[in-house]
Each structure stands twice: as structure tokens, then as C-alpha cells.
Amino acid sequence: MPLQGFWWWVCCRHGFTLLGRDVGEKEEEEESFEMKSSDVPMNSRKGSADVGVTQPVRSANGLESQLHSSEEKHSLITPSNKVTCKDDQDVIVKGWLQREVSGEARRPWSRMKKYWFVLTPDSLDCYSSNEKPSKRVGSLVLTSLCSVMWPSKQSYKETGYWNVTVYGRKHCYRLYTEHLNEAVHWVCAIQKVIDSKAPLETPTQLLIKDIEENHLNQDIVDEIYKLNPVLRHTKNPLYAPLLPFSYGSDDHSPHMKGYTALRDEAVKIFNSLQQMESERDPVPLMQGVLQTCLDLRPLRDEVYCQVIKQTTDPPEPGSLSDLRYWQLLTCMSCTYLPSPTVLRFFRFHLQRMRTSYPNTEVEKYADFIPASLDKTKQREYVPSYEEISVLIQRQELMCTVYYPGAGVCKVPITSHTTAEELVQDLIKKLNLSCSRNIFALYEQNNHYEQALGKATIVADTLTRFENLTCKDKGFETRWRLYFKLYCFLDTEDVNKDSVEYSFLFEQAHEAVIQGYLPTNEETLQSLAALRLQFLNGDFSPSSPFPRLEELFPIYILHSRVLASSKPTITSRTSCQSLHKGLFSGALPNGLWNNSLVKQKAEESQKFKGRVKEEGANMMSAIVDKWKALHGMDRTEVMASYLAIVKQWSGYGSTLFDIDFYMSSVGSFSQRLWLGVNASSLSLYKQGEVDPFENIQYSQITSFGVLDSTTFKVSVGEKEMIFETSKVDEITQLINTYLTCISNGPHMPCESTNNSSEDTSQLV
């Protein structure tokens, strides 16, 4: 009896070992249940009786686990011809590789096991040995949706092995080898097999083709929708994407904001769509869906198909939950387009919905969306909160634009309006159509200003302003759109009563305040007095006084105070060095540092006091000059102001700060000004009246950008190189002036619009 018990234990132990090994390690791959091969003959899918491809139904978790368990148990009884090594004639690559086995997920290098792998035209098979016959312990069927990852250097550093990762529908093989060339050989061979496979198509793709083929036969189309729930609205979650995506977690760029595999993201988005139905404020969710699709381009077709599905035969057409999907479709159609195949299906869907729900909100959305699809180009940003709020109401967005002289105007725009179109609208609105100058739209805050390109979508710029405002709150970083003169082609024959003349005056004053007028303090005081006369009229003790920095370049006062305090600072510095040498060993470091901090604070306070004192004296001198302007009206003030500014030869030039300049005759490391105007380029030493270099456009052999901060101009055999952060702006401005020169002199009114359309990249 004890002997019988012993043999029973040995047999059962052997049986349990086999069962555990087979259940734990056998991973035979099957074709995806939601896929259909593209090799299926087209005639087998035609007609209403042959289109009954139904949506895959996911069983309850308990039943599904029973089915999987049953499959695994059934796989233990395998015919001998399925577990032996493949014939050599079918083998592409074979060899020993380390493979991760189940268990100990925290330490992958401690759970490797050596197996014999064989790659065939259909699968990657794993065997326990390379001898024949040998047990096959796993198989991964290779389809067009499988993927293989290249060896990771990071993995080699951590484990000492080069890894090859192969993704299938159900399983993932992580294989390792000590030799890089062997890993690369396996990757290339596996990828070649994957590439040789016919593309797999989902039921949704096949049905879209059927609908497109039969779109003229309404009865067949209705039958297709009736027999296939995958095309219709559902309240159930989605367990697999409607379109095919490669298996694996690395099917998009790894830096993309923490996204997971595309297949998983597709399922997550459908859950968000269903949540959106009952959301009180759907805008944030819509922005999230739009942002995901903007980041992950392959998801765009998928989400279009998902929303089309949810707007097909909804339980309550026209209800708030149904309109949420139509609102999202409206926003999507204004942000990016699907692929041509899905776009055709989408247009057919819109036409079908218009016919099915006449005189309803659904029909209004179905009419609004096609117009957007015709205009939509690739957006850089998703619509802002404000833009989505008006889009879901099918309304235009009111855009606030500022212009010189504290002017503000509101202009209606769409999600497709470009900077060029908005500039043309503003030119008409401000009666500037007869101007010979060129205007542009700028993005601007208190520290930054740059002209927008012609093709820039204004709504994208507004979205960026919204994002920047959320990051940097405060008046100093408030962004706005600013409309002003871009190219000064005519500064003499401008009507003094026109808006354009006020533009010339205001932009001249901006240049003076920024320090771009090299002149003496007396002249700057006179200009400040004229500005006061323009703002307040004749002097009165009760008149409001703007801040000095709005009238006078404040950097002059700072320079004067610093210059007057230099000797004191020098003597104090030497005194500090002496004290530090004598007493640094006697005083603790903390006390010494506190003393320096206190001393710097005192010096800063004294500096501010001196600047304030100098500012009061300067304002007093400006007021005295203001009093002498009694009786001048605003037109006379502007004319007098511009007459003074125009005395400088650089008037009409756009000035750029240059950090470094080098030519064949020498180089300068000091900061310079590069002036770009209608006829030439001029180089100034900052603060000097006359340029030390003036280059007519007719003398320039070539010019261009060397890198992001380097600009090059060639004049014959002479080459000049500039270092500046404004490389692109300089290039665009020069191109605009050259285009104007090549088009000849501007004609008023009729020719203005044509000339502005021809200007390089800016308007």
C-alpha cells in the first residue's frame, strides 16, 4: 500500500507539472476575431443578403474566462504534428534566444529562459529544444498588425542583453540576446514577414466600402445599417477600435505626453464620448478629445468613425445627448480632416442625416459642417474654450484687435480666418484701402512683438494666447493682436486727417520711447511736450499727467544715475574688498552675507531715489516746454512731432538689435542696429545718428539664413554676417520690400490689395 501511494504521488506530480507548464507557457496565437482579411472577394460582400457582418459581442467576464479556460485545456491535447519543429524549407531564421517567462515582473533579468525559436512565413514559434521531434511551447501568428521593436540600448545597459520585442494580438514576446547583430538580424527578418502580410480590415472598414459601392441604392444602404449594429449608436462600451491599429505599446512617439497604445487610446476616447452625453459643461471634454487627435494623427479617422456611429439611429434624435456628438463633429471639422475614405463616408452620413431629420437641429449641424470641411486646413492648436463655445452654437467668433492710438475694434472671424484675411477686413473697416503702405497683424505683449505670417490661422493664435495666459498671469504678460504699419512705402503724401496719419504719429512715438531715435535730451523733451499737448491739450494744473516712461525714454535717466554713481561704487567695492580681507575670518559667514544683502538693498533704494529725483526734474523741464505750446491743435502737434522725427535719416526703417557683426573688413562685438527700409539696409552704432554702412538692395548679391540666429548678406565679394534672434523677421521684411520694388510703384486704391497679396509671407 505505501508503494502504491508513492507511485500515485509520482504520477500525479508529473501530471501537475505538465499541466502547469502547458497552461502557463503555451501561447498559441489565433487571428483577431474583429478582423477580416482584405483578400475576401468583393462579390461575397455585395447585396443586402450578404452584408450581415455583425458587431463583435463581448461576453460577460465569467463566461469569457470559462471559454478561455476551455480553450487552454483543449490545447493540452495537441496532435503530434503541431508540436514538432517546422521543416527546414519553411524556416526563415532559427536560433537560441532568451525569453521572459511569467512571474517576477519587478526583475525582468532574473526570469529569462533559453528557448529555440523558429521564424516561418506565418509565425514565430518557440520550442523547448532544437532536436527533432521537439515540443512547441508557444507560437505567435504574424499578421499585418503585428509589430517588432528595435533593440534598446537602455535594456543592454540594465541587463547585458539586447532585446527584441514582438507584439501580437494576445501575446508579446520579449526576447534577448548577447549580440547586437543577432538582434538586428531577427528584427529585420520578423519585420519582413509582417510587411509581406495582406492588410487586415475591420468590419467597419468593410462596411464603409459596401456603403460607398451601394450609395445610390437606398434600400441596400438601409439594409446594411439595419443588419450591422457596429454602424449604429450604442450605449455599451467599446472593447476594440473600429479601425485597425498595430499591436503594441510603442506605436507612436514615446515623448507624446504619456499616451498609451493607440488601441487603448481609441477605447478610452469612446468612453469619454459617452461621458460627454451627460456632461453639464462639455467643452473641456471636447478639448481633450480634440487634443488627443491632434497629437496622435492615426486616431483621427477612428474618432470620426466613433462619432459618426453615435449619431446614426440614436435612441432620441435631437436630444441634448445626441446634439453633444454633433457639436463635437462641428469642432472636429474645424480642426482637422479625416482621410479621403472616411471623409467621403462622413459626407454621405451628413447627407443621410439631413434627409432623415428635416427641420431639426440635426439638419442645421449637417448643413453647417460641410462648409467647414471645405475650408479646414491643419490647425496647430485645438480651438480655445471661447471658440468651442461659439462653434457649438454655429456662430462666428468676435476677435478683438488693437491699433495705434489706443484704438480697439471687434471683427467677426471663423475658425478658418487667416491673418491676411483679417488684415484686409481691418483695412476696409478703418478706411485704409487707398493707402500705399503695407499693414500687418502682430502678436504682442509688454515685452514682445512679432508680425504674423499671411497663412497663420487667427483662431490658433487666440488659443495660444489662452494657453499662455493660463501659465503666466498678470498684466505684464497679457497677449493681444495688434494692427499697424509694416512697410513704410509712403510717409509724405498721407492725408493729415486720416487714420493712417495717426498710425505714423503713434508708431513714431513708440520708437522714441523704445530708444530708437538717436538725438539729444533737449529734442526728446520737446517731443515729450508735444505728446502732452496731444493727449491733454493746453496746459492746466488739473490736467492728468501720464507716467514719465510714457513720454520719455526712461533708460536715459537710468544711464545718467549709473554714470554719476560709478566713482562711489568703485571706491565702495575696493573698501568692501579691504574689509573682507581684514575681517572675513573674524565674522561668521551668515553675518557677512546678511551684511552684503543689506548693503545691496540700501544701494537699490538709493538708486530708485536718484531715478525718482531725476525723473521729477525731467518732468518739470517737459512741462515748461508744454506750456509754450499753448493753442496747438492735435493735427499741428502730430505734424510737428513727425517733422522732428523725420530729420533722422533712419526714419521709416524697422530697427533690429544685432548682437554681433562681421565682415571682410572687420568685426564688432558691440550691439548694433540694423535698419531695414524701402530702399536699403543700414547699420548703426547704437546712439549714433549716421550709419557706418548703407547697402542699397540693388547692391546685394544674395542674403539668407545660416541658422536660427545667423543672417548673411553678400555684396559682391564682401560678406556680412549678423547674429540676432530676429533672423526670420528680418528675412521676411526684406522679401516684402523686394517684392514691392519688383512690382513697381504702388497705385492708390485699386492696386493696394494686389500688392499686399504679393508680399512674401507677411501681410
Side-chain angles (χ1 to χ4, degrees):
M1 186 67 181
L3 187 60
Q4 279 185 334
F6 174 75
W7 282 112
W8 176 87
W9 180 85
V10 170
C11 293
C12 289
R13 176 67 175 174
H14 182 63
F16 292 151
T17 302
L18 291 176
L19 180 63
R21 184 174 63 192
D22 286 347
V23 172
E25 298 179 3
K26 184 166 185 62
E27 300 178 356
E28 185 166 354
E29 184 76 17
E30 300 174 359
E31 276 199 21
S32 173
F33 70 91
E34 73 263 24
M35 300 297 164
K36 299 293 181 183
S37 174
S38 62
D39 296 334
V40 176
M42 293 300 297
N43 57 10
S44 66
R45 296 190 281 108
K46 291 184 178 180
S48 60
D50 298 326
V51 294
V53 183
T54 58
Q55 181 179 11
V57 180
R58 184 180 177 89
S59 58
N61 291 337
L63 179 58
E64 187 181 45
S65 61
Q66 292 175 12
L67 290 174
H68 287 175
S69 176
S70 176
E71 288 176 2
E72 288 175 343
K73 290 179 181 178
H74 178 72
S75 68
L76 295 176
I77 308 171
T78 311
S80 58
N81 61 346
K82 285 192 176 182
V83 297
T84 57
C85 289
K86 295 281 185 181
D87 296 334
D88 286 342
Q89 61 183 1
D90 295 330
V91 174
I92 299 174
V93 182
K94 58 184 177 180
W96 291 101
L97 293 171
Q98 301 281 350
R99 176 188 169 189
E100 289 184 6
V101 294
S102 303
E104 298 189 29
R106 295 181 180 179
R107 296 192 300 167
W109 56 87
S110 65
R111 53 190 180 95
M112 294 183 188
K113 190 172 181 181
K114 197 171 184 180
Y115 289 96
W116 179 256
F117 283 89
V118 176
L119 176 65
T120 71
D122 296 314
S123 63
L124 179 63
D125 300 321
C126 177
Y127 297 90
S128 58
S129 171
N130 62 343
E131 298 178 357
K132 296 183 180 180
S134 180
K135 181 76 172 178
R136 186 178 68 182
V137 295
S139 180
L140 192 147
V141 176
L142 297 175
T143 67
S144 62
L145 298 184
C146 293
S147 61
V148 56
M149 299 296 110
W150 279 82
S152 166
K153 193 172 183 180
Q154 183 65 28
S155 173
Y156 181 75
K157 290 180 179 179
E158 293 176 354
T159 66
Y161 291 92
W162 296 99
N163 66 316
V164 176
T165 306
V166 188
Y167 292 99
R169 185 176 72 83
K170 290 182 178 180
H171 308 297
C172 167
Y173 279 7
R174 289 184 171 85
L175 313 176
Y176 297 86
T177 175
E178 295 178 349
H179 306 290
L180 176 60
N181 58 345
E182 185 178 12
V184 171
H185 183 62
W186 276 98
V187 168
C188 293
I190 295 171
Q191 186 64 56
K192 189 174 181 180
V193 172
I194 294 173
D195 294 339
S196 68
K197 298 299 179 182
L200 295 179
E201 293 182 297
T202 63
T204 300
Q205 285 181 301
L206 297 174
L207 291 168
I208 288 175
K209 288 183 178 180
D210 289 339
I211 291 171
E212 185 172 2
E213 291 171 3
N214 298 282
H215 70 280
L216 297 178
N217 191 327
Q218 188 62 40
D219 293 337
I220 293 180
V221 170
D222 290 342
E223 190 71 11
I224 293 174
Y225 278 101
K226 180 180 179 181
L227 294 177
N228 295 279
V230 72
L231 295 173
R232 305 196 305 268
H233 181 281
T234 180
K235 292 184 178 180
N236 299 321
L238 199 68
Y239 292 100
L242 300 178
L243 303 179
F245 292 102
S246 297
Y247 307 125
S249 59
D250 296 325
D251 40 16
H252 51 71
S253 301
H255 66 278
M256 292 302 295
K257 304 179 183 179
Y259 290 117
T260 56
L262 291 174
R263 296 172 62 84
D264 297 334
E265 291 295 337
V267 173
K268 289 180 185 177
I269 285 182
F270 192 79
N271 293 336
S272 298
L273 298 183
Q274 291 181 316
Q275 180 185 348
M276 184 182 64
E277 293 183 25
S278 57
E279 198 71 21
R280 187 171 184 179
D281 181 11
V283 176
L285 257 179
M286 290 180 180
Q287 274 189 311
V289 172
L290 293 171
Q291 187 64 59
T292 301
C293 293
L294 196 68
D295 293 339
L296 306 177
R297 180 181 289 270
L299 280 181
R300 296 174 189 177
D301 280 357
E302 171 70 23
V303 177
Y304 263 106
C305 289
Q306 289 183 8
V307 185
I308 292 171
K309 169 184 170 66
Q310 292 300 89
T311 52
T312 301
D313 298 338
E316 298 179 22
S319 64
L320 182 60
S321 59
D322 179 38
L323 293 181
R324 289 283 188 247
Y325 290 109
W326 284 103
Q327 292 166 358
L328 178 59
L329 276 177
T330 302
C331 296
M332 291 169 63
S333 68
C334 294
T335 308
Y336 44 75
L337 296 176
S339 66
T341 301
V342 177
L343 180 58
R344 289 193 298 271
F345 175 56
F346 184 30
R347 290 185 183 276
F348 174 80
H349 173 71
L350 294 174
Q351 180 61 40
R352 186 169 181 265
M353 293 300 102
R354 276 198 297 266
T355 305
S356 301
Y357 304 104
N359 303 320
T360 63
E361 284 292 303
V362 171
E363 183 191 27
K364 293 177 182 178
Y365 281 107
D367 283 333
F368 181 86
I369 292 173
S372 296
L373 293 173
D374 293 337
K375 298 177 182 178
T376 295
K377 298 178 181 178
Q378 177 60 44
R379 293 277 296 266
E380 292 185 18
Y381 298 90
V382 300
S384 64
Y385 188 98
E386 183 180 1
E387 184 183 352
I388 293 178
S389 300
V390 298
L391 275 178
I392 62 180
Q393 302 296 328
R394 305 183 303 278
Q395 297 175 354
E396 292 182 322
L397 177 65
M398 295 305 296
C399 176
T400 302
V401 182
Y402 297 82
Y403 56 88
V408 182
C409 64
K410 291 185 177 292
V411 184
I413 63 171
T414 68
S415 299
H416 322 286
T417 302
T418 63
E420 179 185 21
E421 294 168 343
L422 182 53
V423 165
Q424 296 304 321
D425 289 343
L426 290 167
I427 287 174
K428 294 177 183 177
K429 192 178 183 68
L430 297 174
N431 296 321
L432 296 170
S433 299
C434 293
S435 172
R436 296 176 180 175
N437 295 308
I438 295 176
F439 299 84
L441 194 65
Y442 289 74
E443 53 183 9
Q444 182 190 83
N445 67 9
N446 283 16
H447 308 290
Y448 176 85
E449 180 180 271
Q450 183 172 346
L452 296 179
K454 290 173 60 175
T456 301
I457 296 175
V458 179
D460 269 346
T461 302
L462 296 178
T463 299
R464 188 155 51 81
F465 288 175
E466 181 181 274
N467 297 340
L468 292 171
T469 302
C470 292
K471 293 180 181 178
D472 304 316
K473 296 182 179 179
F475 175 78
E476 293 294 319
T477 56
R478 188 177 65 185
W479 289 86
R480 64 180 186 175
L481 291 174
Y482 197 73
F483 172 75
K484 67 175 185 177
L485 280 162
Y486 179 64
C487 289
F488 294 81
L489 300 173
D490 177 20
T491 59
E492 300 299 330
D493 300 327
V494 178
N495 189 345
K496 294 182 179 179
D497 295 326
S498 65
V499 175
E500 185 178 10
Y501 196 76
S502 67
F503 276 32
L504 292 173
F505 168 69
E506 293 291 346
Q507 291 185 225
H509 178 66
E510 289 176 10
V512 169
I513 295 302
Q514 294 168 2
Y516 288 135
L517 180 65
T519 187
N520 54 54
E521 286 189 23
E522 185 75 18
T523 302
L524 293 174
Q525 290 175 6
S526 299
L527 292 173
L530 287 168
R531 182 67 178 178
L532 275 175
Q533 182 71 15
F534 176 82
L535 294 175
N536 298 331
D538 293 340
F539 170 78
S540 171
S542 60
S543 297
F545 281 81
R547 296 179 301 169
L548 180 61
E549 51 264 34
E550 297 176 11
L551 303 171
F552 188 87
I554 199 68
Y555 78 93
I556 292 178
L557 300 183
H558 292 171
S559 300
R560 181 186 299 172
V561 172
L562 287 173
S564 64
S565 60
K566 274 185 180 179
T568 307
I569 292 174
T570 304
S571 61
R572 185 180 296 117
T573 304
S574 59
C575 186
Q576 287 174 358
S577 301
L578 177 61
H579 288 173
K580 187 173 181 180
L582 291 175
F583 302 111
S584 59
L587 292 175
N589 288 335
L591 292 176
W592 179 256
N593 291 335
N594 290 338
S595 176
L596 289 178
V597 171
K598 185 177 180 181
Q599 187 175 347
K600 289 181 180 179
E602 291 176 354
E603 290 180 358
S604 176
Q605 194 65 29
K606 289 180 181 179
F607 177 79
K608 291 179 181 178
R610 290 290 307 279
V611 171
K612 188 175 182 181
E613 181 181 341
E614 291 288 343
N617 295 334
M618 183 64 68
M619 182 61 82
S620 177
I622 292 171
V623 170
D624 290 340
K625 291 182 180 294
W626 178 24
K627 294 176 181 178
L629 301 176
H630 183 79
M632 289 184 69
D633 61 23
R634 301 185 77 176
T635 303
E636 293 176 325
V637 168
M638 288 191 291
S640 299
Y641 197 105
L642 287 171
I644 295 174
V645 175
K646 287 178 181 179
Q647 293 177 7
W648 181 45
S649 61
Y651 175 73
S653 299
T654 303
L655 297 181
F656 298 93
D657 291 324
I658 303 299
D659 297 319
F660 179 78
Y661 162 72
M662 181 177 65
S663 70
S664 55
V665 296
S667 62
F668 301 89
S669 59
Q670 70 216 55
R671 291 177 67 84
L672 304 171
W673 286 337
L674 173 65
V676 182
N677 60 35
S679 60
S680 63
L681 304 179
S682 301
L683 278 167
Y684 299 85
K685 292 182 180 179
Q686 292 191 0
E688 294 190 2
V689 177
D690 297 320
F692 67 87
E693 188 92 47
N694 186 269
I695 309 162
Q696 298 294 319
Y697 289 135
S698 58
Q699 298 175 308
I700 297 177
T701 308
S702 65
F703 69 94
V705 177
L706 295 183
D707 56 45
S708 60
T709 60
T710 308
F711 181 77
K712 178 183 176 182
V713 176
S714 298
V715 181
E717 297 181 357
K718 180 180 178 181
E719 291 186 349
M720 292 173 286
I721 297 176
F722 310 103
E723 290 287 339
T724 176
S725 59
K726 303 289 186 178
V727 168
D728 292 334
E729 296 174 57
I730 294 172
T731 306
Q732 291 168 352
L733 185 57
I734 294 175
N735 281 328
T736 304
Y737 276 123
L738 290 176
T739 303
C740 294
I741 293 172
S742 64
N743 290 341
H746 283 268
M747 297 299 293
C749 296
E750 292 82 8
S751 300
T752 302
N753 290 341
N754 293 334
S755 62
S756 62
E757 289 175 2
D758 292 335
T759 57
S760 186
Q761 300 179 15
L762 292 170
V763 294

